[in-house]
C-alpha cells in the first residue's frame, strides 16, 4: 500500500490505484459519501467493474467505508451474486433448492460437471464457463431451474440443460437453447 492514511478517499493500494477500473469504484464511494450503509452498492459496482471481489479490493472498501473487513467479507460471501474468484465468459447457475432437488437438479449438476469438465463452483480451464449452484431462486413452480447468463430457464432436464449450455457456449452472446422446453405458465401462476 502506498499510504497508511485511512481517511475516506485516501490510502489507495498501489495495485488498485494503477488500474483504470479503480476509478469507477472510487466514484461510487464518493457518490455514497463513504457511508457504511452503501456497502452492498459499492460491492456490486466493484464486482461488476473487476469481475470479482479480491482481498485487496474488499480491504480497500472496508477502509473507505470505515467498517470492519470481516463485515465486508461476510457480506461478500453471504450473497450468492458476489464472487471472490474471477468468473468465466458464460455462467450457468443450477438451483438446488428443495423443489429443484426433488425434480432432479442434482442430476443436472452432475451431467453438466461431466459434460463440461468443471466442478460446481469452478470455471472451466479455458475460462468459458462458470458452473455454480444456489440454494433457492424462489421460482419453485418452475423447478428445476437453470440460469444461463442471467436468463432463467425452467423445467429443465439433464439433457435439456446440457444442450442449452452447449448452445450458449457456441454463441457469442448469452442465449437460450431452442431445445429447452419453453416454460408454460398455468393460469394464475407468476402473475
Amino acid at each position: 500500500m502506498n499510504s497508511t492514511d485511512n481517511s475516506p478517499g485516501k490510502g489507495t493500494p498501489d495495485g488498485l490505484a494503477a488500474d483504470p477500473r479503480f476509478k469507477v469504484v472510487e466514484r461510487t464511494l464518493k457518490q455514497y459519501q463513504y457511508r457504511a450503509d452503501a456497502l452492498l452498492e459499492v460491492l456490486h459496482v466493484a464486482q461488476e467493474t473487476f469481475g470479482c471481489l479480491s482481498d485487496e479490493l474488499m480491504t480497500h472498501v472496508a477502509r473507505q467505508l470505515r467498517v470492519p473487513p470481516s463485515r465486508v467479507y461476510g457480506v461478500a460471501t453471504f450473497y450468492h451474486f458476489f464472487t471472490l474468484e474471477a468468473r468465466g465468459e458464460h455462467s450457468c447457475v443450477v438451483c438446488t433448492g428443495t423443489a429443484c432437488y426433488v425434480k432432479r437438479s442434482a442430476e443436472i449438476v452432475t451431467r453438466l460437471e461431466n459434460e463440461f469438465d468443471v466442478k460446481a463452483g469452478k470455471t472451466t480451464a479455458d475460462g468459458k464457463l462458470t458452473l455454480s449452484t444456489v440454494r433457492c431462486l424462489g421460482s419453485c413452480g418452475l423447478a428445476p431451474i437453470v440460469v444461463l447468463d442471467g436468463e432463467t430457464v425452467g423445467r429443465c432436464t439433464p439433457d435439456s440443460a446440457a444442450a442449452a449450455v452447449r448452445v450458449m457456449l457456441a454463441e457469442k452472446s448469452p442465449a437460450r437453447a431452442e431445445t429447452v422446453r419453453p416454460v408454460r405458465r398455468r393460469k394464475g401462476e407468476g402473475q
Side-chain angles (χ1 to χ4, degrees), residues 78-157:
F78 178 79
Y79 293 105
H80 78 274
F81 43 77
F82 291 127
T83 181
L84 307 184
E85 295 179 14
R87 291 186 180 227
E89 184 179 326
H90 296 278
S91 70
C92 175
V93 180
V94 180
C95 180
T96 58
T98 303
C100 289
Y101 185 81
V102 167
K103 293 190 173 186
R104 304 173 51 196
S105 68
E107 291 177 39
I108 292 172
V109 172
T110 301
R111 171 70 182 271
L112 295 175
E113 286 179 334
N114 292 335
E115 184 154 340
F116 299 100
D117 194 27
V118 61
K119 289 289 180 194
K122 298 293 180 187
T123 300
T124 54
D126 63 2
K128 293 281 185 189
L129 175 67
T130 297
L131 176 63
S132 54
T133 60
V134 63
R135 288 301 302 158
C136 185
L137 291 170
S139 296
C140 302
L142 302 176
I145 294 173
V146 173
V147 180
L148 303 173
D149 285 340
E151 185 173 339
T152 302
V153 180
R155 299 192 177 107
C156 287
T157 64

